[in-house]
Amino acid sequence: MNTQDKIAEKLFLGILFVWLIYMSLYITTNFQPFLGGNIVLKSFSVLTIVLLAFKELISLKTNSISTIDYRKTITLILFVVLSISYVIHNDGLISLSMIVLIVSSRNINTFSILKIFTIAESIVLFITIISSKIGLISTLYMPSDDGSLRSSLGFGYVSFASHHAFFIICSYLIIRNKKIRYVELIFLLLLTFYLYKATGTSSPFYLSLLAIFYDLLIEKILKKKVIVNNRVLSFLTSMSFIIAFIVIIYFCTLASPQLVSAVDGVVHNRLHLSIEGMKSFGVTAFGQKVNFITLDIFGNYSGQYNYIDSSYIQSLVVNGWIYTALIIYLFTYITKWAVSHRYELLSAFLVLAAIQGMFDPQMFVLWYSPFAIIIGKSFDSEVQSKWRN
């Protein structure tokens, strides 16, 4: 890597670090009143885009026609064009800054990105929890099914802390790899149980346990790769996002009422909301602006609550089926790459991300998931370039 590339990478990682902390605090926590209003948020998004443009100028290279991978270049152009509607239908400048980050990450060390994500999101998680405990920021409390209280621990909603932790755990385990120690696994396990007890959020709890125990199995007990050494498991892993999408579509369109009711009970009515969302809003080619109803003017859940939790179904409704198909293709591409390069943990945790997206909305949200930015590597158009680690 030459000097220009090193400068560009350091600049990108610095931008990503600050962007993750600010956006995570502003959007997902109760620190929002301390971080300025909408004008500050938009100004920060514009500044991010400008700095990323400067990073692109630094790393700009003159490539001969023979060194360009046209398939990846066309995919990049298609992603950028379709992202215009994504930006319009979502958060405007916030979404635009996220899209630019994803594109700009294409020539950045993948595992350096994961390290920055882990550090930044860990800071957000622990600062928010501590600040809520000392009364610096407010905390939301909600009753759970068993009568106990669920705490948001300073986040905007009771499930946010656990979802942050799930992706932090996955990212941390990937970068630690074989260097992971038992004491680290125990700490992650205790954190997972603490967040489950405080927030009562089941999905990230079980997925986090799967990630921790899979890491324990692979790195400490078997000490060998399982997925990448098995042809069937490798294929199924590579197709995980496509399989997850087909399964959720089946549940929403073809499954019997009895099966839907059974699954709905397990996923806390989220399947029903996905089905109703598709019926109410419909699915178009290029998406639509949707104003989901969650809380009423008193801060309570409205009787017209219609939020779609599934990342796949929400993307179909809001972003359109063309954009959704492209995103699933990009996630499939990086999963195939992880398998082909024998990255066992990355491959396994991408499967968990595919499953998480079936009933939770964070799959393509960069201030939650590091896997959202990794798809940028699909646009690295130099044939000889490597996904460095």
Side-chain angles (χ1 to χ4, degrees):
M1 184 184 294
N2 59 39
T3 303
Q4 276 188 313
D5 286 337
K6 290 180 180 178
I7 294 173
E9 179 162 296
K10 289 181 179 179
L11 177 60
F12 176 87
L13 294 175
I15 295 169
L16 177 63
F17 178 77
V18 176
W19 188 92
L20 283 171
I21 289 181
Y22 182 80
M23 288 299 179
S24 295
L25 288 174
Y26 191 99
I27 296 173
T28 70
T29 78
N30 291 326
F31 272 108
Q32 187 178 119
F34 301 97
L35 300 175
N38 198 42
I39 294 178
V40 175
L41 179 63
K42 290 182 177 179
S43 300
F44 178 79
S45 299
V46 171
L47 178 60
T48 298
I49 295 169
V50 171
L51 290 175
L52 288 172
F54 183 59
K55 171 262 177 184
E56 290 297 319
L57 289 175
I58 294 175
S59 60
L60 187 64
K61 296 179 180 179
T62 302
N63 296 303
S64 64
I65 294 178
S66 61
T67 64
I68 301 298
D69 185 329
Y70 288 99
R71 180 180 61 82
K72 291 185 178 181
T73 302
I74 292 172
T75 302
L76 172 59
I77 294 172
L78 184 61
F79 177 76
V80 171
V81 171
L82 291 177
S83 291
I84 295 174
S85 63
Y86 173 85
V87 170
I88 294 172
H89 297 149
N90 287 276
D91 301 311
L93 284 171
I94 301 174
S95 296
L96 181 60
S97 65
M98 186 185 82
I99 295 296
V100 176
L101 273 166
I102 292 172
V103 172
S104 189
S105 72
R106 69 194 182 282
N107 56 356
I108 304 298
N109 183 303
T110 302
F111 295 88
S112 293
I113 290 174
L114 290 175
K115 289 177 183 178
I116 291 299
F117 176 89
T118 303
I119 296 171
E121 291 301 317
S122 295
I123 290 173
V124 170
L125 181 66
F126 289 109
I127 282 182
T128 304
I129 293 175
I130 292 171
S131 297
S132 72
K133 294 297 183 182
I134 64 175
L136 180 61
I137 57 176
S138 61
T139 294
L140 172 69
Y141 292 96
M142 291 180 59
S144 64
D145 295 337
D146 61 6
S148 61
L149 281 180
R150 301 174 65 189
S151 170
S152 73
L153 297 175
F155 286 85
Y157 183 63
V158 291
S159 66
F160 289 176
S162 294
H163 284 296
H164 273 292
F166 163 65
F167 287 108
I168 291 170
I169 287 169
C170 288
S171 183
Y172 183 79
L173 292 175
I174 290 170
I175 60 178
R176 288 295 291 160
N177 205 351
K178 296 182 183 298
K179 297 178 182 178
I180 195 76
R181 296 175 296 174
Y182 284 110
V183 65
E184 295 170 75
L185 293 173
I186 292 172
F187 173 78
L188 295 177
L189 195 60
L190 292 175
L191 174 64
T192 300
F193 276 101
Y194 167 74
L195 291 175
Y196 179 64
K197 187 177 185 301
T199 69
T201 309
S202 57
S203 173
F205 171 69
Y206 293 119
L207 291 172
S208 296
L209 288 182
L210 281 174
I212 294 169
F213 283 110
Y214 191 80
D215 186 271
L216 175 65
L217 177 69
I218 296 301
E219 303 300 347
K220 296 299 182 183
I221 299 176
L222 297 180
K223 295 185 178 180
K224 65 178 182 180
K225 304 175 189 294
V226 174
I227 292 175
V228 300
N229 286 336
N230 184 286
R231 187 170 299 179
V232 174
L233 291 178
S234 293
F235 173 77
L236 292 176
T237 296
S238 299
M239 297 292 105
S240 57
F241 284 91
I242 295 175
I243 294 171
F245 177 73
I246 292 174
V247 170
I248 193 65
I249 290 296
Y250 169 77
F251 282 139
C252 289
T253 58
L254 299 175
S256 67
Q258 294 78 12
L259 180 58
V260 169
S261 179
V263 174
D264 211 28
V266 175
V267 298
H268 306 289
N269 204 41
R270 293 182 176 185
L271 179 56
H272 172 74
L273 289 169
S274 293
I275 295 172
E276 290 301 315
M278 291 181 70
K279 290 180 180 179
S280 299
F281 303 113
V283 176
T284 62
F286 296 101
Q288 58 194 304
K289 183 70 175 179
V290 176
N291 293 315
F292 291 116
I293 301 172
T294 54
L295 303 178
D296 61 22
I297 60 173
F298 303 105
N300 301 314
Y301 278 103
S302 169
Q304 297 178 308
Y305 184 94
N306 64 356
Y307 188 78
I308 301 174
D309 292 281
S310 169
S311 295
Y312 300 99
I313 304 302
Q314 185 179 125
S315 183
L316 278 176
V317 169
V318 178
N319 305 321
W321 64 263
I322 294 178
Y323 190 83
T324 302
L326 177 61
I327 292 301
I328 292 173
Y329 164 76
L330 294 176
F331 273 114
T332 301
Y333 181 92
I334 64 169
T335 308
K336 283 186 175 181
W337 170 84
V339 171
S340 65
H341 285 72
R342 300 178 61 78
Y343 294 136
E344 178 76 19
L345 293 179
L346 179 56
S347 301
F349 297 162
L350 280 167
V351 174
L352 295 184
I355 295 171
Q356 193 263 357
M358 293 175 67
F359 299 105
D360 288 297
Q362 293 88 8
M363 189 177 79
F364 190 58
V365 182
L366 182 51
W367 49 85
Y368 277 105
S369 171
F371 304 124
I373 198 170
I374 293 178
I375 65 173
K377 300 301 293 185
S378 307
F379 311 132
D380 196 354
S381 62
E382 296 180 38
V383 173
Q384 299 303 320
S385 67
K386 301 295 183 182
W387 289 30
R388 313 164 193 87
N389 66 341

